[in-house]
């Protein structure tokens, strides 16, 4: 019997954001808002938008995975599984994961999408890791990508200032040392589902003239209510994983938080007892890219990360879903 414990680790990361920059100044022309309101309430200055007809989330995911395979010198034929976290799939089916795999030449694998909104990347990272840890898979790609502009109503100032398009992908492999994914806590609470959702277009309310007229295909969010849940749960779950692993504030190298609102991130850091320097944040550049935020953040700050660094990844999102992952970074770039 093989009793060796296999740990999963991130071997490489690559991100992608579209070129088009939608600034707060430009949004001031679309809805009644101001750079001052957006900056002080959210921390966002600009976000990226994927332009062009017929271009969905797979465009973002494909760029991420292509870059990842090149960077890690990985043959696409060696990938066992690809998971894509997204709430903005190209279509209901086939899965965006299938489309990405086909685009990049991943032929000897199976692939599927995972829907856990802003916690989607963490859910997928943990799921992908289980396949590595079980010893059945050697190379798993996890993508977090969303084209939020496809579900944002650019006449709704409550939501259009918050979201952007982008994503990132990681390669998981068995770890050869003590580094890798150490622990996770994932949670969900379906009683919060109606506060952040898309009401129309699913099997409950299929697309009709009525759903279009009601704007039911756009994001519906009760911002204040979601904020209250997010700020408490993201902070608590980040502290919980520290306590569970006997980590003190000084042990933490970086918090890599979901980028929905700077105030939520600040509250999480405060609860963990860590200062600003240990918080990786790029919300000002990209806004909330849903499943894309955490891999985009790791990609942006990759050069800063050193082998053995203790990272806490944490997220909160629609569902409600939330969670945290404790990992020891696996390489120097
Ligand atoms: O990522 C998934 C999870 N989602 C989140 O974590 C988002 C959680 N929620 C939030 O981040 C915040 O609640 C928002 C950023 C969405 C809103 O911030 P807030 O401080 O909770 O503002 P509010 O919704 O209470 O609105 C305050 C005021 C309102 O006006 P009145 O009623 O006080 O006159 C809004 O109508 O600000 C108004 N407002 C705006 N004003 C200028 C709302 N949106 C805007 C805007 N520009 N874009």
């Amino acid at each position: 019997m093989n009793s060796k414990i296999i740990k999963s680790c991130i071997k490489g990361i690559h991100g992608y954001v579209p070129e088009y920059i939608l600034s707060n100044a430009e949004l001031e022309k679309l809805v009644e808002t101001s750079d001052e309101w957006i900056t002080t309430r959210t921390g966002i200055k600009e976000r990226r938008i994927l332009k062009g007809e017929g271009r969905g989330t797979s465009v973002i995911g494909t760029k991420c995975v292509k870059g990842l395979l090149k960077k890690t010198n990985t043959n696409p034929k060696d990938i066992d599984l690809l998971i894509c976290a997204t709430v903005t799939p190209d279509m209901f089916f086939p899965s965006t994961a299938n489309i990405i795999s086909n685009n990049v030449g991943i032929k000897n694998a199976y692939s599927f999408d995972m829907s856990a909104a802003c916690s989607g990347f963490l859910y997928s990272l943990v799921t992908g890791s289980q396949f590595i840890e079980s010893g059945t898979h050697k190379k798993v790609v996890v993508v977090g990508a969303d084209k939020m502009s496809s579900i944002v109503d650019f006449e709704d100032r409550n939501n259009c200032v918050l979201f952007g398009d982008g994503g990132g992908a990681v390669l998981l492999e068995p770890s050869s040392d003590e580094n890798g994914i150490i622990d996770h806590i994932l949670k969900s609470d379906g009683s919060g589902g109606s506060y952040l959702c898309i009401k129309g277009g699913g099997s409950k309310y299929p697309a009709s003239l009525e759903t279009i007229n009601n704007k039911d295909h756009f994001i519906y969010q009760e911002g204040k209510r979601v904020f209250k849940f997010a700020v408490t749960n993201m902070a608590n779950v980040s502290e919980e994983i520290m306590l569970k692993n006997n980590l003190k504030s000084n042990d933490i190298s970086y918090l890599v938080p979901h980028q929905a609102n700077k105030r939520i991130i600040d509250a999480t850091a405060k609860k963990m007892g860590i200062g600003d320097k240990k918080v990786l944040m790029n919300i000002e550049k990209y806004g909330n890219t849903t499943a894309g935020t955490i891999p985009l953040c790791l990609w942006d700050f990759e050069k800063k990360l050193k082998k053995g660094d203790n990272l806490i990844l944490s997220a909160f999102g629609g569902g409600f879903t939330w969670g945290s992952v404790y990992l020891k970074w696996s390489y120097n770039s």
Side-chain angles (χ1 to χ4, degrees), residues 33 37 41 118 157-158 221 223-224 258 260-261 263 288:
T33 190
W37 191 98
R41 299 287 177 129
C118 299
R157 71 172 182 174
N158 291 301
Q221 173 166 226
K224 229 182 188 39
H258 169 53
N261 189 315
R263 290 183 287 149
N288 184 351

Side-chain angles (χ1 to χ4, degrees), residues 49-89:
I49 304 292
L50 183 66
K51 294 272 185 180
E53 205 168 310
R55 301 180 83 218
T57 295
S58 69
V59 171
I60 298 169
T62 299
K63 296 233 187 222
C64 295
V65 178
K66 249 191 196 152
L68 176 72
L69 295 175
K70 189 167 172 222
K71 193 170 165 183
T72 55
N73 210 10
T74 304
N75 185 336
K77 298 200 171 63
D78 292 338
I79 301 296
D80 302 307
L81 163 67
L82 183 144
I83 305 174
C84 179
T86 188
V87 286
T88 52

